[in-house]
């Protein structure tokens, strides 16, 4: 390769930093990588519930995680055109290949949730941190959503601020996807930390100081934390790129954007075909191998080679239950639970190590997870 090539990475989260570092680690002559991100820090989103409650930090300067050869541009991409991106400050940056890695955000489409906080992104977690600090003893905090983020957040708040009254509202059993033993461990951890669980009801509306439920009842709430599903930024849709109904960039099995062979998608904001990604949930655990695979696809394209299909397997579901306990549930490559699980203090140590390793992996631009499930199994799962 004798001509210089510009690779632009949009978004410096787990998948984007992984991809940028891995492309640069290949040291292909003439290849420059520019990373565009709205802030100068890498955000460890998996620690945002800790950041919000004051039990841990969640930011590392980008210069400490990115290869020194990466050019960093602090800005937001407003639009992606055929061979260039338009930045918030009006500048245009040209690219030969673009890695789309814009991640996910809180799903704010439901206007009933206007008065809620979230821990989905740094700025939201920071607002919650401020609100929690304002609350005096006895104030009521309501966490809406019994998924993994809701559980981690409720227990963390209760552990760090035992004088607050924390309640959780969950439409179904918390962590419904786990085996019975895991669900029991989670309910015990909630109870041990004084979290009141209200199960089997949905939130209709949140107003200032009040949560209204679909059974006609209502609860006082000085601070309401919405921990529902994530949504994705609408950059791909706005740019006229192919997206699924959720707005995720649609790609082929090698993560190359359908209709645009110069764009490669990685992380939460991407929808690869079911035969390789039907089992993939939005997660840091998936963002790392997606970043690796996206980088390898860009390198193959730069070298004039045919990129290979994604093969991504899960290892575990790791749920922190405060700083002294956790649940690490082993899973099969398709993310379904195995029999083995760790609980308690040992699991908390393992979970902390995993959090540290995610940063080591993105810094190194390298991660080797298990292969994905057999195609036929994924097809079955999707069909069922
Ligand atoms: C509290 C919490 C706990 C979690 N715990 C776990 C866990 O235990 N295990 C697990 O696997 N997952 C966990 N997750 C989920 C995990 O954090 C995400 O799935 C993961 O961060 C996705 O990585 P990503 O690289 O796709 O996106 P992100 O990490 O979200 O990074 C995307 C980056 O793109 C930037 N960006 C967005 N739009 C633009 C734009 N237009 N221009 C430029 N830059 C842009 C964003 O600002 C951000 O820096 C947790 C999430 C939360 C909130």
């Amino acid at each position: 390769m004798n001509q210089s090539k510009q690779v632009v990475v949009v978004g410096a989260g787990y998948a984007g930093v992984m991809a940028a570092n891995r492309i640069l680690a290949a040291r292909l002559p003439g290849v420059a990588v520019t990373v565009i991100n709205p802030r100068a820090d890498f955000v460890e989103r998996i620690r945002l519930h800790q950041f919000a409650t004051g039990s841990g930090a969640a930011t590392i300067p980008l210069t400490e995680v990115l290869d020194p050869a990466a050019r960093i541009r602090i800005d937001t991409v407003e639009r992606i055109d055929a061979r260039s991106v338009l930045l918030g400050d009006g500048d245009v940056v040209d690219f030969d290949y673009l890695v789309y890695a814009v991640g996910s955000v809180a799903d704010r489409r439901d206007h009933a949730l206007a008065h809620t906080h979230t821990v989905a992104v740094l700025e939201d977690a920071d607002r919650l941190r401020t609100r929690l600090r304002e609350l005096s003893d006895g104030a009521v905090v309501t966490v809406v959503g019994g998924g993994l983020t809701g559980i981690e957040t409720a227990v963390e708040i209760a552990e760090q601020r035992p004088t607050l009254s924390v309640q959780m509202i969950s439409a179904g059993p918390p962590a419904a996807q786990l085996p019975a033993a895991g669900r029991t461990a989670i309910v015990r951890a909630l109870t041990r930390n004084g979290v009141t669980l209200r199960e089997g009801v949905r939130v209709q509306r949140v107003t200032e100081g009040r949560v209204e439920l679909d059974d006609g009842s209502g609860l006082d709430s000085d601070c309401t934390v919405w921990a529902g599903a994530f949504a994705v930024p609408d950059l791909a849709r706005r740019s006229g790129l192919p997206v699924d109904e959720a707005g995720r960039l649609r790609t082929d099995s090698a993560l190359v954007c359908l209709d645009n062979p110069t764009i490669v998608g990685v992380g939460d904001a991407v929808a690869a075909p079911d035969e390789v990604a039907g089992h993939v949930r939005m997660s840091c655990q998936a963002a790392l191998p997606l970043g690796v695979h996206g980088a390898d696809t860009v390198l193959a394209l730069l070298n004039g080679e045919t990129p290979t299909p994604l093969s991504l397997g899960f290892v575990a579901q790791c749920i922190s239950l405060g700083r002294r306990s956790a649940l690490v549930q082993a899973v099969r490559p398709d993310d379904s639970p195995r029999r083995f699980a760790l609980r308690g203090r040992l699991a908390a140590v393992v979970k902390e190590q995993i959090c540290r390793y995610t940063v080591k992996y993105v810094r190194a631009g390298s991660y080797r997870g298990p292969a994905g499930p057999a195609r036929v199994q994924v097809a079955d799962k999707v069909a069922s």
Side-chain angles (χ1 to χ4, degrees):
M1 193 185 320
N2 41 26
Q3 262 185 329
S4 74
K5 294 282 180 190
Q6 301 298 325
V7 178
V8 165
V9 177
V10 185
Y14 296 98
V17 173
M18 174 69 88
N21 285 344
R22 192 171 179 87
I23 293 166
L24 284 166
R27 299 281 177 250
L28 289 187
V31 173
V33 174
T34 302
V35 178
I36 305 171
N37 196 61
R39 67 189 81 73
D41 286 319
F42 171 75
V43 177
E44 286 185 82
R45 281 182 69 199
I46 62 175
R47 291 193 191 273
L48 282 179
H49 57 301
Q50 290 182 247
F51 172 71
T53 56
S55 69
T59 52
I60 303 171
L62 272 179
T63 48
E64 290 180 19
V65 293
L66 276 168
D67 187 310
R71 298 172 186 161
I72 303 175
R73 192 77 198 246
I74 308 304
D75 212 324
T76 301
V77 171
E78 296 297 335
R79 201 180 60 234
I80 300 169
D81 293 319
R83 284 301 185 99
S84 63
V85 294
L86 173 67
L87 303 186
D89 68 3
D91 266 11
V92 171
V93 178
D94 295 333
F95 65 82
D96 295 288
Y97 289 100
L98 179 137
V99 178
Y100 186 79
V102 296
S104 57
V105 293
D107 190 348
R108 287 271 173 207
R109 282 169 301 183
D110 190 341
H111 298 295
L113 301 167
H115 294 276
T116 59
H117 290 270
T118 87
V119 291
V121 295
L122 180 68
E123 293 71 17
D124 291 355
D126 198 26
R127 273 189 288 278
L128 173 60
R129 185 182 169 97
T130 304
R131 180 64 188 140
L132 288 172
R133 283 181 174 166
E134 289 166 358
L135 296 178
S136 40
D137 293 355
V140 179
V141 178
T142 308
V143 176
V144 183
L148 304 190
T149 308
I151 294 161
E152 290 192 323
T153 306
V155 178
E156 201 81 28
I157 295 172
E159 187 182 85
Q160 297 302 315
R161 296 288 306 276
T163 56
L164 297 177
S165 171
V166 183
Q167 56 192 6
M168 172 184 272
I169 303 186
S170 180
Q177 76 278 25
L178 292 182
R183 291 200 305 272
T184 305
I186 280 174
V187 171
R188 279 205 191 118
L190 291 167
T191 312
R192 194 169 59 241
N193 285 280
V195 179
T196 314
L197 177 61
R198 185 88 189 260
E199 200 182 310
V201 277
R202 286 179 186 278
V203 170
Q204 278 298 57
R205 218 158 74 93
V206 180
T207 52
E208 199 80 54
R210 192 112 180 117
V211 174
E212 290 168 21
L213 305 177
D214 64 355
D215 63 359
S217 66
L219 300 165
D220 290 335
S221 180
D222 299 297
C223 172
T224 304
V225 184
W226 169 247
F230 295 147
V232 296
D234 68 349
L235 177 61
R237 197 193 298 271
R238 265 190 285 136
S239 304
L241 295 168
V243 291
D244 69 359
E245 65 286 356
R248 296 179 304 164
L249 182 77
R250 290 187 62 214
T251 70
D252 68 13
S253 61
L255 304 178
V256 180
C257 174
L258 303 183
D259 305 345
N260 194 329
T262 62
I263 297 178
V264 171
V266 294
D268 281 357
V270 166
D274 280 348
E275 68 263 23
V276 293
H279 62 298
V280 173
R281 67 184 148 93
M282 287 185 182
S283 60
C284 171
Q285 197 175 160
L288 300 182
L290 284 166
V292 165
H293 199 88
D296 290 349
T297 289
V298 171
L299 290 169
L301 294 170
L302 282 164
N303 285 322
E305 296 161 2
T306 306
T308 57
L310 175 73
S311 175
L312 186 164
F314 285 90
V315 181
Q317 294 187 14
C318 305
I319 306 124
S320 70
L321 299 167
R323 290 303 85 213
R324 294 181 291 276
S325 186
L327 174 68
V328 176
Q329 172 68 54
V331 297
R332 300 186 186 87
D334 69 357
D335 207 27
S336 61
R338 293 183 191 272
R339 286 176 72 112
F340 180 75
L342 279 179
R343 298 189 194 95
R345 257 178 207 277
L346 179 58
V349 172
V350 171
K351 164 91 194 195
E352 175 55 30
Q353 287 307 316
I354 290 171
C355 291
R356 289 181 191 188
Y357 264 93
T358 59
V359 178
K360 286 190 182 174
Y361 291 135
V362 296
R363 232 181 224 135
S366 171
Y367 169 82
R368 251 180 97 88
R375 281 167 190 237
V376 60
Q377 285 170 341
V378 179
D380 283 351
K381 186 180 156 136
V382 170
S384 62

